[in-house]
Amino acid sequence: MAALCDLILNNEPLLDQLFGAGRFKIKEVNDLCCEIVTDAAQIHVAYDLYRMTTDSQLRPLQVPEDLSESMPVEWWLRYLDRDDPLRRRGPLTAEQVTAELHLVGDIIQSALATLHAARDAACFLKGYEHGRLDAD
């Protein structure tokens, strides 16, 4: 199985398109986890061996520190009132990684496009997190 970071690096033209040419840094955490830092967000991409899917979390970087928390992609999609696409299950593949990068790129371009949009999204997600914790 190829390392996740290698599959992400193979998508450099897509990364340039989504985040801006050369406006991102990639750091390998381990074979199944990689971190991408852009101007707008810190993205944690990981392959879940149990569920056999590629998942991500985003932490906005353009908001005050008390609002800047890492939240799962599913919560960001809820903020944008979008359905969570059915993720392909199976061994780690380039297709899974590409689909996840497209999803993350769309979230960044929609929810984190401006400082005002990023703050609104972060406030919603902070409240959503508190609501979920209170329900438990």
Side-chain angles (χ1 to χ4, degrees), residues 75-94:
W75 292 14
W76 288 93
L77 291 172
R78 178 150 301 155
Y79 168 72
L80 294 170
D81 197 25
R82 297 187 187 159
D83 293 328
D84 187 8
L86 191 60
R87 292 194 171 104
R88 184 181 165 285
R89 295 174 67 119
L92 181 60
T93 63

Side-chain angles (χ1 to χ4, degrees), residues 8 15 20-21 24-25 47 65 87 92 103:
I8 289 174
L15 295 170
F24 58 88
K25 293 180 184 170
Y47 178 73
E65 192 64 35
R87 292 194 171 104
L92 181 60
L103 188 60

Side-chain angles (χ1 to χ4, degrees), residues 18-19 58 76-77 80 82-83 85 99-113:
L18 296 173
F19 309 129
L58 279 77
W76 288 93
L77 291 172
L80 294 170
R82 297 187 187 159
D83 293 328
E100 193 70 16
L101 290 174
H102 275 291
L103 188 60
V104 166
D106 185 42
I107 291 168
I108 288 176
Q109 291 170 358
S110 299
L112 303 177

